[in-house]
Amino acid sequence: MAGLARVVIRFRYVVIAGWLIAAALCVLLLPSLADSVNTDQSTFLPASTPTQHALVLAAPFQPAGTTTGTLVVVGKSKLSSSDQSDITSLEAKIAMDAHVMSVSAQGLSTDGKADKAGVVFTVTTSSPDASSTVAAVRSTISAHLPSGLRGYLTGQLPTAVDNQNSQASAQKLTSELSILVILVMLIIVFRAVLAPLVTLGPAVLVLQTSEHVIGGLAEHGLQVSTITETMLVVLLLGAGTDYGLFLLLRVREELARGAEPRPAIERAARYVGESITSSGGTVIIALLCLALASFGLYSGLGPALAVGVAMMLLAALTLTPALLAVFGRAVFWPAPIRHTQREGLWARLTDQVIGHPVVTLVLGVVFLGGLALAATTYTSSGFGGTSTGPPGSGSAAGTAAINAHYPAAVANPTVVLLVYKSSVWSDLTPVQKAENDLAKKPEFASVNGLLNPNGTAVSTQQLEGLYQQLGPPGKLPATQPANSPVSPQQYAAYRATAQFVSPNGKTVQFYTTLKAGAPTTTAALNATPAVRDAVTSVQHAVGAVDNGVNGLAPASYDVSTVSQSDLKEIVPIVAALLALLLGLVLRSVIAPLYLVATVVLSYFAALGIAVLIFQDAAGDGGLDFVLPFLLFVFLMALGEDYNILVMSRIREEAHKAPLRQAVADAMHHTGTTVTSAGLILAATFGVAGLTGATTQIKELGTAIALGVLLDTFFVRTLLVPAIVVLCGRYNWWPSKLARATSQVPVPAGVHGRAR
């Protein structure tokens, strides 16, 4: 590390120029991460899940590689024939859009005041053309509807676009507020002009660069979600600032001892460089373990963030030392650079820990263990959000219009699909029986289908007669032919039934609402197994050959199930790999065991606090499914960051002083560093918790912030020093230091006895 620092110092201007040029090229040549984000988390599910099976069955209604939307037009009173003609003309205009595959009428509402149509788009929610496509269709609606009619575009793609726009706004606020908070905190720490900029600048540069690098990887198949985008911001700004803080405070310490700037940078790089490399390595390894997850959101998140952290680590080892070499002592102006004696808060606190390690350890474990007990009542809430789009958006307004004029199952249905051996149009009796049987099941509150499309019942005889006269409803033109044998009302109603029967007539779908509650609730999620069992029993009763259940509640259930499975499988792997890395860094078998154990304890304590805040105090039905898994990965990785910094310094001091003195000196030198770094890291995640556009981001940001604070002020400050003192020389077993520690003479005035 010292050798690398010497090279960086010698070619400091080349290093700085290289970073600036590379960043500019990435921004200019690679796509933005924001353009590749997929907001539909159900698409990250493995192909083997029931939700994905249901999507395969629904392919006749929504071909692969497409997304859907709903056009709803509302009048002040009942829609006249002229109004309906204008709506038909509008549908034809929308169908001419290059990214629209089809527009299919879905019928008038029972009150006659609204008409809606299904739109199939040829772009996906993560497509760069998604936003412009939705904007173009909405512009067409505004331009071609006469006064007195209001048109809205809602559904899968429009809702995703509105959520992306809301997320982008929240993302910008998170980034700007995080930078402001970090700058203020760095000014307080350094009381200098340049030091905060030198510390934070590389993190901001790497963030901007990595967003485009990851965006480029997303074009080649890497799956990225809104969590990836937000976590990248807070992780790189927080952890990147920590790395810079570690290095600058050690340089200032060396300067205070009388060293010249270049030797001070070299010595700081020798010790801190090893620590931050190991720290960054723990984060990268933990994140890469996520690639083993079966849930695509995790398997894409881990490698994406690992790329960002790797770039941040490289900048900490090259760009930050280069900037220090350019500015020298001026970095810390106008604050005086002076050596501080072992006194003050950290000295007094460390003396208490060293003097009473057993009491400290017991009290700390009892406190964290008490918080951890609350985690036993954790309940998953699936997506933990809504599917109607953010308040004030066009998709939210469209959903509200559908809810006002159509049956409850139409706006955000749990869709039941049944597949028959042959076309149902030859005999609609099984379809009628299926609809009736579903309505009788206690799991369903309402059912709408082919025989009850928009709340008005239609007989099988009427539909079979219309089929004989007009043919398949999906093949009818939007404008009724002049020689049609049925009335315009019958023609429009029959054409709208295409949303319930596939073109080949073999697949039938029903829109349902659940007795358990809205599909966004935990109760609806938990009802999914019973709903699927009910549908299976109906399938057998009516002679269907296959079935599927799709919608927010079943998708949330599958996401939660897969996430919990990944949690059980990957958590032990992460813990084992980080323990192995700690063992290599500290040359010890014993230390990694208690270091990992303390972080696990703080994890359960943080999860317990999240349960108390969101599940108990706020009254939420449960915590978002991602929280337990990602909270563990982030706290394990980031917590070991501080473990490595503190334990490396204790090990460094243990080579020249008894263990208790080494602990005291190490805590004195790293106390401010760890506290400042922990507060900064917690603040960045806390900002995400306050400004996040979704409940998911708010819960995750808040929980990680609280976990980092627990780790900083309890685990790293109290538990770890106490355990180190109690373990004595066995901390370093089986390295040579385990034997050498017990033979170091005890200087006069040291509290306690060297072990």
Side-chain angles (χ1 to χ4, degrees):
M1 289 298 168
L4 175 61
R6 285 193 290 271
V7 173
V8 169
I9 292 170
R10 182 178 179 183
F11 299 102
R12 53 194 179 277
Y13 293 106
V14 175
V15 170
I16 295 172
W19 271 101
L20 294 176
I21 292 172
L25 290 175
C26 288
V27 171
L28 290 174
L29 301 178
L30 296 176
S32 170
L33 175 60
D35 294 334
S36 306
V37 170
N38 186 355
T39 60
D40 186 359
Q41 296 182 12
S42 64
T43 60
F44 296 111
L45 284 168
S48 59
T49 57
T51 291
Q52 293 292 10
H53 176 69
L55 290 175
V56 171
L57 297 184
F61 303 97
Q62 182 180 340
T66 65
T67 51
T68 61
T70 301
L71 167 68
V72 56
V73 179
V74 180
K76 295 179 180 179
S77 57
K78 284 190 176 183
L79 298 175
S80 65
S81 57
S82 175
D83 291 334
Q84 293 182 45
S85 177
D86 289 332
I87 293 171
T88 301
S89 175
L90 172 63
E91 292 173 2
K93 292 284 186 182
I94 293 174
M96 295 172 61
D97 188 282
H99 296 298
V100 173
M101 175 180 289
S102 64
V103 180
S104 305
Q106 294 183 346
L108 279 169
S109 60
T110 53
D111 62 9
K113 295 181 180 180
D115 195 352
K116 66 185 182 73
V119 183
V120 177
F121 297 96
T122 58
V123 296
T124 63
T125 56
S126 59
S127 170
D129 296 323
S131 183
S132 59
T133 297
V134 171
V137 172
R138 283 175 171 164
S139 178
T140 300
I141 295 172
S142 299
H144 292 87
L145 274 183
S147 60
L149 296 179
R150 301 187 308 278
Y152 307 96
L153 185 66
T154 187
Q156 182 186 16
L157 184 64
T159 298
V161 167
D162 289 342
N163 283 332
Q164 285 175 342
N165 292 337
S166 176
Q167 175 68 18
S169 177
Q171 186 79 6
K172 182 180 179 182
L173 179 61
T174 298
S175 180
E176 293 174 349
L177 191 55
S178 295
I179 291 173
L180 177 61
V181 169
I182 292 172
L183 271 177
V184 171
M185 297 179 73
L186 288 175
I187 291 172
I188 294 173
V189 171
F190 288 110
R191 298 185 299 280
V193 176
L194 290 177
L197 301 178
V198 172
T199 304
L200 179 60
V204 174
L205 181 68
V206 169
L207 173 61
Q208 297 296 321
T209 307
S210 62
E211 285 181 337
H212 289 270
V213 172
I214 297 169
L217 294 175
E219 280 199 338
H220 292 83
L222 182 68
Q223 293 181 298
V224 292
S225 66
T226 54
I227 295 180
T228 304
E229 194 176 16
T230 301
M231 289 298 105
L232 183 70
V233 171
V234 295
L235 180 62
L236 292 193
L237 290 180
T241 300
D242 282 0
Y243 296 157
L245 187 69
F246 295 163
L247 186 61
L248 263 71
L249 288 178
R250 186 58 185 262
V251 168
R252 189 173 70 176
E253 180 186 330
E254 297 298 332
L255 291 174
R257 290 175 175 172
E260 291 299 315
R262 291 190 181 184
I265 297 171
E266 290 180 20
R267 184 170 176 82
R270 175 185 174 186
Y271 292 105
V272 178
E274 180 181 351
S275 295
I276 64 176
T277 299
S278 302
S279 299
T282 63
V283 178
I284 292 170
I285 287 175
L287 291 173
L288 288 179
C289 286
L290 294 182
L292 301 174
S294 56
F295 187 34
L297 185 147
Y298 297 150
S299 61
L301 172 70
L305 296 185
V307 168
V309 174
M311 294 175 62
M312 190 66 254
L313 179 59
L314 181 61
L317 297 176
T318 57
L319 181 57
T320 303
L323 293 171
L324 285 169
V326 170
F327 296 110
R329 292 178 180 271
V331 168
F332 303 103
W333 181 86
I337 301 175
R338 57 173 179 264
H339 183 67
T340 58
Q341 299 297 318
R342 185 178 176 273
E343 57 187 14
L345 174 63
W346 289 111
R348 293 192 298 271
L349 183 60
T350 303
D351 283 347
Q352 291 297 317
V353 173
I354 293 174
H356 307 88
V358 175
V359 174
T360 302
L361 180 60
V362 171
L363 291 177
V365 170
V366 169
F367 173 70
L368 294 177
L371 292 174
L373 286 177
T376 59
T377 62
Y378 159 76
T379 300
S380 174
S381 67
F383 295 131
T386 68
S387 62
T388 60
S393 64
S395 55
T399 301
I402 294 174
N403 285 330
H405 298 281
Y406 288 87
V410 175
N412 187 15
T414 297
V415 179
V416 172
L417 295 123
L418 295 177
V419 180
Y420 293 85
K421 292 181 181 179
S422 58
S423 174
V424 299
W425 288 112
S426 60
D427 181 10
L428 289 176
T429 303
V431 177
Q432 184 179 43
K433 178 174 174 52
E435 188 169 316
N436 292 337
D437 287 357
L438 287 172
K440 294 176 182 177
K441 292 292 182 181
E443 290 78 16
F444 298 105
S446 66
V447 179
N448 291 95
L450 180 63
L451 303 173
N452 185 24
N454 291 319
T456 301
V458 182
S459 70
T460 56
Q461 293 80 6
Q462 287 177 306
L463 288 175
E464 289 172 353
L466 288 169
Y467 181 79
Q468 294 298 324
Q469 291 177 294
L470 303 177
K475 295 183 179 180
L476 295 179
T479 302
Q480 183 178 5
N483 60 350
S484 177
V486 300
S487 68
Q489 291 77 13
Q490 287 180 312
Y491 183 90
Y494 177 65
R495 183 169 173 263
T497 62
Q499 63 186 300
F500 297 106
V501 184
S502 63
N504 65 5
K506 295 181 179 181
T507 303
V508 180
Q509 65 179 6
F510 304 88
Y511 299 156
T512 74
T513 58
L514 304 180
K515 281 278 182 66
T520 58
T521 63
T522 301
L525 178 153
N526 293 331
T528 296
V531 169
R532 285 174 172 159
D533 289 343
V535 172
T536 300
S537 70
V538 171
Q539 173 208 328
H540 296 316
V542 302
V545 296
D546 202 353
N547 78 80
V549 183
N550 195 13
L552 187 60
S556 295
Y557 177 82
D558 287 345
V559 164
S560 181
T561 301
V562 172
S563 180
Q564 293 300 316
S565 176
D566 284 338
L567 177 67
K568 295 175 182 177
E569 294 177 3
I570 294 178
V571 160
I573 298 175
V574 172
L577 288 177
L578 293 187
L580 178 61
L581 181 59
L582 284 170
L584 295 174
V585 172
L586 300 175
R587 289 83 163 172
S588 170
V589 172
I590 303 300
L593 299 179
Y594 63 74
L595 292 177
V596 170
T598 56
V599 175
V600 170
L601 180 59
S602 68
Y603 159 72
F604 281 109
L607 182 59
I609 295 178
V611 168
L612 292 174
I613 293 175
F614 295 107
Q615 194 170 299
D616 296 340
D620 293 345
L623 300 181
D624 192 272
F625 71 94
V626 304
L627 195 146
F629 188 60
L630 294 185
L631 178 64
F632 176 84
V633 172
F634 279 106
L635 286 189
M636 180 63 73
L638 298 173
E640 299 306 352
D641 266 12
Y642 301 151
N643 270 331
I644 289 174
L645 178 71
V646 172
M647 292 299 292
S648 296
R649 189 58 184 262
I650 292 176
R651 181 181 175 84
E652 178 187 338
E653 299 294 338
H655 280 91
K656 54 190 177 184
L659 185 60
R660 295 195 178 204
Q661 179 68 57
V663 172
D665 291 342
M667 293 302 295
H668 169 63
H669 290 302
T670 62
T672 299
T673 303
V674 170
T675 303
S676 302
L679 286 172
I680 288 172
L681 190 61
T684 57
F685 281 102
V687 167
L690 291 173
T691 61
T694 64
T695 302
Q696 188 175 69
I697 297 298
K698 291 178 179 179
E699 289 184 0
L700 187 59
T702 301
I704 294 177
L706 292 171
V708 170
L709 291 176
L710 284 176
D711 201 69
T712 301
F713 289 100
F714 289 95
V715 175
R716 216 61 49 229
T717 306
L718 302 176
L719 295 190
V720 169
I723 297 174
V724 171
V725 170
L726 291 173
C727 289
R729 61 190 178 92
Y730 295 106
N731 283 288
W732 321 117
W733 186 85
S735 68
K736 294 180 180 180
L737 187 58
R739 298 185 294 275
T741 300
S742 63
Q743 301 171 4
V744 177
V746 182
V750 175
H751 296 276
R753 179 171 58 85
R755 301 184 58 161

